[in-house]
Amino acid sequence: MLGGAAAAGVSALAVAGTGTAQAAPAAGTAPREVDVAVVGGGLAGLTAARDLAAAGKSVLVLEARDRVGGRVLNLALPNGGISEGGGEFIGPTQDRMKALADSLGVATFPTYNTGKNVLFKDGKRTPYATDGLLGAVPPIDVAGLANAAAVQAMLNDLAKQVPVDAPWTAAKADEWDSQTFETWLKHNAVIPSAKFLFDVACTSVFSAEPSELSLLFVLFYIRAAGNESTPGTFERLTETGTGAQATRFVGGSAQVPLRLAQSLGDRVVLNAPVTRIAQGGTGRLTVEAEGLTVSARRVVIAVPPSLTNRITFSPGLPATRDQLGQRLPMGSVGKAIAVYDTPFWRADGLNGQVVSDSGAIRSTFDNSPPDGSYGALMGFIESDEMRRLNGASQAEVKAVVLKDFATYFGDRAKTPTGFVLQRWDNETYSRGGPVAYAPPGVLTRYGAALRAPVGAIHWAGTETSTYWNGYMDGAVRSGERVAKEVVAAL
């Protein structure tokens, strides 16, 4: 099914993380007719297309970028290696992403987690073990630890009261959705050091400040950090060895969408941003992309909610659905990776993970390959820090990142052999990451429109998932869900 040139393109993409599967046809090409047109070639759209094709439906994926994967991206390193520029980790209960990777022959390996973490707080650097009584909890003062434990338990208990498929129907939904996470924390995380821990956790998970998030949304996110048999917990979001950061993919996470696109062959069209979708009285929809028009019986939209509003709909979307897209902004995030001849921090007894109260980089991971043949330090730039640097040059960002790395890991961090940077805020077809979040008042007023079809238009994407919302696993789950929905409607 895959033409020779396209096959070569996808093969190169699978190895290097760049390239194309199929360019859009030239302008004027006759409309293509399919059962289902899928807008967006990330994990959600590709998974939906796979399942629709398996059900015997003709399908075409229209991807705006010159690559598949969406917010999952491999970055080529100067030394010939790769590192993940977007979604990277999976952990316990992220069953659907693991199953998809297994089906495509993409192996996994444990995130490097041997040695001590580093806490940098109030100008003081403190390495600490993560295998003791406190686990991965940073060694703050005793009062702060007690307060943090109580707050975490409260969050987990409140989250159990939130239905994952309809958080806006929780008994206290109006109360929780009328306040920010910041407001709630100020009343409950009353010890400053405890508040610090939740502030760092919040920006690390959402790439947004606690003041930007609805408490109801945070509780739903915690509840969704599990599966049908295992309730979500706050710690599953934040921990490495037993949490969402436990495992990485050999060859980088982008191997999954790349191989999935390869299996779909010429059902995937790149460089085809969709500009207009029209539903007429003929029982078919017209989908217009740059250089290509598609006639379909059903359309699946698998892009971040805010990007949906860049498409012209005829007739227009219902006001509630349109305004939902206006009110779900993306987090602000970037990933900076410095490459070294060796993972030198390991010899110092460190695992490459940092929690900090200052700097552009406030959390880090060891992104070295499984064999440790070279070192790669990855630092997240998140929320206000990413916004502050969005207009900075690559050189300026590199300078502040390496300064932070040296603060955490010593002077050897100042002189990497390579450096790569991915700023998702500046990505035309993402405009941030890792997830669209709900400020106060959004879920209770507009949440019911999140997955509700509009005529023959259906919705996918990680933001529509009931479990692991915002994660790669959530994207895969949404694709599987919407494919079943569409097959039943056809």
Side-chain angles (χ1 to χ4, degrees), residues 18 30 34 137 167 239 298 367 397 406 437:
T18 58
V34 293
V137 179
E239 292 184 357
R298 295 274 159 172
N367 263 32
V397 176
Y437 62 86

Side-chain angles (χ1 to χ4, degrees), residues 118-166:
V118 170
L119 170 66
F120 188 82
K121 186 176 184 297
D122 299 326
K124 180 182 178 182
R125 177 183 177 274
T126 306
Y128 64 98
T130 62
D131 55 0
L133 183 62
L134 298 178
V137 179
I140 58 174
D141 57 279
V142 174
L145 287 172
N147 188 204
V151 169
Q152 180 170 292
M154 290 172 64
L155 287 170
N156 287 337
D157 287 342
L158 294 177
K160 292 175 183 177
Q161 303 173 41
V162 178
V164 290
D165 58 343

